[in-house]
Structures are given as structure tokens and as C-alpha cells.
Amino acid sequence: MRLSARSRRALFATVTGSTLVLTGCGNGDSGSADSVSLGFVNGGDTNFHSCLQKAVEGQAKTAGAKVYTANSHQNAGTELSNIEDMISRDVSALIVQTVNVDALKGDIAKAKASGIPIYLTSVSTGDADDILGAAVVDLKKVGSLDAGWIAQDAGTGQVQVGIVAGAPGAASDLLVGGFESALPATAKVVANQPGMFNPAKAQDVAENMIQAHPDLDYAFVANEEMAFAVRKAFDAAGAKDVKIVTANGTDEGLAAVKNGEFSATVANSAKTIGETAVKNAVGLLGKEKVDKIANIPLLLVTEDNLSEAPQYCPK
């Protein structure tokens, strides 16, 4: 029997796509929710990315949709390759947690040329007509909420602030930009270095930072995984009084706020992002009335409102 070109592409992807994983269930690749296939291209290997993937897979299973997953490991070239692999599988739509917003232009162009829409998580594009939709986290607001806590805590005093950013591009740049722009004039940023969303790297950065700036008052750290490493470095250097603000809202992060390791964190639930992405992508494919651009709720969490934090990761 002679296979069609589309069937040959799908068979080739099944045989060669060793980095991809199929989860969920369903039949076919278009039509009702139980016949949709989704390609999920994750951006990295942090706890956020793991929880995001769990949420995508769990919601897809609930919807009866197929999901193929791949991880770009913070590499824009790998992201494009993963998207090409998903295209070869002829999925109904792509859900993408990009490693770099600058990489999206090529990703979207490649998918559009193949007739496969992209649904974005965490960020969106300047032209929503180019995408199926997005579950957006206002990352600038995340940073500004942490800066607002510092402004309130510091009052009118002159204070020194250090920043341990993530990996350059996408989420980290938006987080840091929002943080810096919302700091009061009395808060001086004396250090700003990337921790690359890697706890070991973040610890090295923090060790150098506190050595160079022993009078540091506050530190903004781009995620909680790095923040634990930064806390460890500061404490070892005798700087337990440096107050750390961060983001995510994991169970571990909330516990750190409760016991005083962190002063504040901004909850932006990976569970909510992933579930929203699948629900809305499937709905938009089915021409249902759902928001094309969904804004994910944010909450500044301190010891005063811990009980209000949303669940971060699917159980």
C-alpha cells in the first residue's frame, strides 16, 4: 500500500522523534475535543517547566486530547527544531513556552507556513493575529509587585538592591525590567547578574555579590529555585538580614515565606497556565467563545496572606 505524503511525514516523525513523548489519548487530529492533537514545546528544565508540563498533560487527558511533548532546554535553535518535529506530526496546534521572545518570529512563521496555529504560554506577541491565542503572565507586573514590597518595607530610607536574573531573553528580561522600573528613587541597584535559572550558578553570583556589596539590603531573584541558593550564599556570608523577594509560589516557596527565608514571592501558578492553555487552545480550535488572550492572575504573597496563594503544581 502506498502511503500519502502526510502519512509518511507522520510515520517518519514517530520513528525519528526520540526526544518527543506522547501522552493523553484520542483519535484523529481535528474536529471535536477528543480528536485534537497538541504539540507542547517546553522551554526549560526548572520546576516551573516541570509543573507546566504536568498541567498540560493532565488537562489534555481530561479533554481526551493527544499531546506530544518536547523540551528546548533554553536553546532557541532546539526550540525551532522541536517545532519542526511537531509540524511533521501534523498536530492540530502547537503550545509553546518559548525560550526567547526573539525566537518566536521564526517559530510562528514556520508553523504558519505549515498551517498549524501556535498557542503561547507566559508571553504573547505584538500581533495577536499571528497566533491561535495565549495564556499570558504579566511578567513586568510580577517584577513590579516585588519592587512595590521593597518600596513599602524600606520606607524613605536609602537602600541597596541586588538582582539575580534568569537567562537573558524572554521571561527574565521582562521580570527584571518590571522590577527596576517600579523601584523607588531611594533604592539603588548595585548589582545585576544572570543566574541562568540554575541554582548552582545563582549561588556563585550571590557569593560574589555579597562580597562586593556587604551593605546589601534587598535581593530580587527571578525564581524561587535560585532564591534558595541565593539565601544559602547570603547566610553563609553572614548576611542573613538581606531580604529576598522572588517569584513562583511553589509549596516550598510559600514555606520559605512563612519561616522568613523569603520576604515575599509573587504567585503565578504553573498549573493555571498549563490548564488554561489546553482548555483555550482546544476551545479556539473548536470555534468556541473563549478568550484569545487569557491573563493569568498574580498575587504578591507575604506572611500575611499565605492562605490565599493558588496551587502552583498539579499533584
Side-chain angles (χ1 to χ4, degrees), residues 124-177:
S124 187
T125 61
D127 187 356
D129 291 338
D130 284 341
I131 58 175
L132 177 64
V136 177
V137 176
D138 188 342
L139 295 169
K140 288 185 177 180
K141 184 177 180 182
V142 172
S144 71
L145 286 170
D146 274 334
W149 184 89
I150 290 176
Q152 185 175 22
D153 186 69
T156 58
Q158 299 285 330
V159 294
Q160 293 186 13
V161 181
I163 296 173
V164 181
S172 181
D173 289 355
L174 293 168
L175 284 167
V176 173

Side-chain angles (χ1 to χ4, degrees), residues 148-275:
W149 184 89
I150 290 176
Q152 185 175 22
D153 186 69
T156 58
Q158 299 285 330
V159 294
Q160 293 186 13
V161 181
I163 296 173
V164 181
S172 181
D173 289 355
L174 293 168
L175 284 167
V176 173
F179 176 77
E180 289 185 301
S181 64
L183 281 175
T186 51
K188 180 181 180 182
V189 175
V190 295
N192 182 350
Q193 292 180 271
M196 302 305 294
F197 292 120
N198 181 303
K201 173 65 174 175
Q203 186 168 340
D204 287 342
V205 167
E207 288 170 354
N208 293 330
M209 185 179 293
I210 198 64
Q211 191 171 32
H213 305 282
D215 295 326
L216 196 68
D217 298 294
Y218 299 92
F220 170 68
V221 187
N223 74 5
E224 289 171 357
E225 285 180 276
M226 292 194 300
F228 280 109
V230 171
R231 178 79 279 160
K232 182 179 179 180
F234 286 170
D235 289 356
K240 293 185 177 182
D241 56 341
V242 177
K243 298 179 180 180
I244 292 176
V245 294
T246 184
N248 280 151
T250 63
D251 289 347
E252 297 81 3
L254 298 180
V257 171
K258 184 176 182 178
N259 67 27
E261 290 180 84
F262 304 158
S263 294
T265 190
V266 178
N268 55 316
S269 167
K271 179 178 183 289
T272 301
I273 298 169
E275 291 177 352

Side-chain angles (χ1 to χ4, degrees), residues 73-183:
H73 307 294
Q74 293 292 346
N75 186 296
T78 303
E79 179 171 289
L80 183 57
S81 177
N82 284 333
I83 285 173
E84 290 170 342
D85 286 340
M86 294 296 184
I87 289 170
S88 72
R89 290 171 181 268
D90 203 24
V91 294
S92 307
L94 280 161
I95 296 175
V96 178
Q97 172 71 28
T98 189
V99 304
N100 191 317
V101 289
D102 293 334
L104 279 176
K105 184 176 180 181
D107 297 342
I108 292 170
K110 180 73 71 171
K112 282 182 70 175
S114 302
I116 296 176
I118 282 185
Y119 190 99
L120 299 175
T121 55
S122 298
V123 299
S124 187
T125 61
D127 187 356
D129 291 338
D130 284 341
I131 58 175
L132 177 64
V136 177
V137 176
D138 188 342
L139 295 169
K140 288 185 177 180
K141 184 177 180 182
V142 172
S144 71
L145 286 170
D146 274 334
W149 184 89
I150 290 176
Q152 185 175 22
D153 186 69
T156 58
Q158 299 285 330
V159 294
Q160 293 186 13
V161 181
I163 296 173
V164 181
S172 181
D173 289 355
L174 293 168
L175 284 167
V176 173
F179 176 77
E180 289 185 301
S181 64
L183 281 175

Side-chain angles (χ1 to χ4, degrees), residues 248-311:
N248 280 151
T250 63
D251 289 347
E252 297 81 3
L254 298 180
V257 171
K258 184 176 182 178
N259 67 27
E261 290 180 84
F262 304 158
S263 294
T265 190
V266 178
N268 55 316
S269 167
K271 179 178 183 289
T272 301
I273 298 169
E275 291 177 352
T276 300
V278 173
K279 288 178 185 176
N280 288 12
V282 170
L284 290 163
L285 287 170
K287 309 299 182 184
E288 297 174 14
K289 290 186 177 180
V290 298
D291 291 335
K292 184 181 178 77
I293 307 298
N295 292 301
I296 302 302
L298 300 173
L299 178 68
L300 178 72
V301 182
T302 67
E303 61 180 357
D304 297 326
N305 65 340
L306 283 165
S307 63
E308 298 174 24
Q311 183 179 340

